[in-house]
């Protein structure tokens, strides 16, 4: 089955049905994991850095879900680094104030050696974003933002860029890790490239480090440049990790539906809890951030007191996770010290609430 065969199918159906072998009597229903570094000469692929049949299956699924052409990478950071390769030496990248702190670290590292100049903007200010893109090469968006949960009107930003700069507008990259393609498809709004840390929701089981890019079909030039970067710089995933992510994507719609239902219920209860000063929730998905009273010590104590919620640095798995984000040096200072990021999993919501409420109540005041 090709992506075009699945265009009329619902996203959940495509997640399950695409990326499968041809249906023949006795054939397996899953693609095999192809472990090879070498290919016989004169075929479609010369060497293992160029391609792998297991990659092809996952790229077919992700490309269909996002509406473009997918490339898989060794990690989300590897995928982000590939998009930074689109910036010429000394070029300009515009990015929101709040993005994943690994992205912040990459921008700072490249700026420190003169590779680029960065401009940071309010992620919710469409006019300000468009103004900041004067002479920029890449606009890197992230919506909802990590960990502040701010939402950018990507469609309005792209319209503003086209009206203002025409063909001279920057390449628009959008990190869609939090939302997933089931909640939004930035390419349909005019973005050029979508980024995923597939380690998170796409894989969904906290067992594979992985990244992906999906490029608009209207930008084959970018697809070729990003493919070349992946090949030359070796930012390639292993076949086993690829298989694990593909297996995870099969249940993405089910996991996300349960996580979002849990998140909505928890948000309603957190808004009423006296320890919680502010709840940040974009209205969809399974990611929630809360600001708690009592300072850093109390915030850390809450994370340490949970038994069901895992105190850890990641998100998007079937298990619920909690963390104070400012404990990391790369997190920007405008993120509140007492902000806790919650990745709501698929456990029973009553169990999740009992564990979280007990931690909130038990933390020292």
């Amino acid at each position: 089955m090709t992506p075009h065969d699945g265009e009329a199918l619902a996203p959940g159906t495509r997640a399950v049905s695409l990326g499968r072998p041809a249906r023949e009597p006795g054939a397996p229903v899953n693609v095999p994991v192809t472990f090879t570094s070498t290919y016989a000469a004169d075929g479609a692929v010369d060497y293992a850095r160029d391609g792998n049949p297991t990659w092809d299956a996952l790229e077919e699924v992700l490309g269909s879900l996002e509406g473009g052409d997918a490339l898989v990478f060794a990690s989300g950071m590897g995928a982000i680094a590939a998009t930074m390769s689109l910036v010429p030496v000394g070029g300009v990248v515009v990015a929101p104030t709040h993005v994943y702190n690994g992205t912040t670290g990459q921008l700072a590292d490249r700026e420190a050696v003169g590779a680029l100049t960065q401009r940071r903007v309010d992620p919710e200010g469409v006019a300000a974003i468009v103004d900041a893109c004067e002479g920029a090469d890449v606009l890197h968006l992230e919506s909802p933002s990590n960990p502040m949960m701010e939402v950018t009107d990507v469609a309005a930003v792209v319209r503003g860029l086209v009206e203002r700069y025409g063909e001279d507008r920057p390449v628009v990259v959008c990190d869609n890790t939090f939302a997933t393609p089931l909640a939004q498809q930035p390419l349909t709004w005019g973005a050029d490239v979508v980024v995923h840390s597939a380690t998170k929701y796409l894989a969904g089981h906290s067992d594979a480090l992985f990244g992906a890019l999906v490029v608009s079909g209207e930008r084959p030039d970018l697809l070729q440049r990003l493919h070349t970067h992946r090949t030359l710089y070796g930012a390639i995933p292993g076949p086993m990790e690829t298989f694990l992510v593909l297996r995870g994507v099969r249940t993405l719609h089910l996991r996300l539906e349960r996580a979002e239902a849990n998140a909505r219920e928890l948000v309603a209860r957190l808004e009423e809890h006296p320890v919680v000063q502010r709840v940040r929730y974009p209205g969809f998905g399974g990611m929630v951030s809360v600001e708690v009273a009592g300072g850093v010590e109390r915030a850390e104590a809450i994370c340490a007191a949970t038994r069901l919620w895992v105190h850890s640095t990641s998100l998007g798995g079937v298990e619920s996770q909690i963390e104070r984000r400012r404990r990391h040096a790369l997190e920007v200072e405008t993120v509140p010290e007492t902000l806790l990021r919650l990745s709501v999993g698929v456990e029973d919501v009553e169990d999740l609430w009992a564990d979280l409420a007990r931690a909130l109540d038990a933390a020292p005041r």
Side-chain angles (χ1 to χ4, degrees), residues 90-105:
V92 174
V93 176
V94 176
T97 304
H98 302 121
V99 291
Y100 170 53
N101 64 19
T103 303
T104 294

Side-chain angles (χ1 to χ4, degrees), residues 292-305 324 327 337-338 340 359 362-365:
V292 297
V296 171
E297 181 180 354
R298 189 178 201 181
E300 288 285 354
I302 292 168
C303 295
R324 187 180 75 88
R327 64 176 16 226
E337 287 276 12
T338 62
L340 305 180
R365 298 177 185 273

Side-chain angles (χ1 to χ4, degrees), residues 334-348:
T334 47
V335 172
E337 287 276 12
T338 62
L339 182 140
L340 305 180
R341 190 184 70 187
L342 311 179
S343 174
V344 181
V346 302
E347 305 94 335
D348 186 278

Side-chain angles (χ1 to χ4, degrees), residues 232-256:
L232 292 180
Y233 291 87
I236 59 171
M240 192 65 211
E241 288 81 2
T242 308
F243 177 82
L244 289 172
V245 176
L246 178 59
R247 185 175 67 173
V249 169
R250 302 302 191 197
T251 60
L252 173 63
H253 56 302
L254 301 175
R255 292 184 285 102
L256 195 61

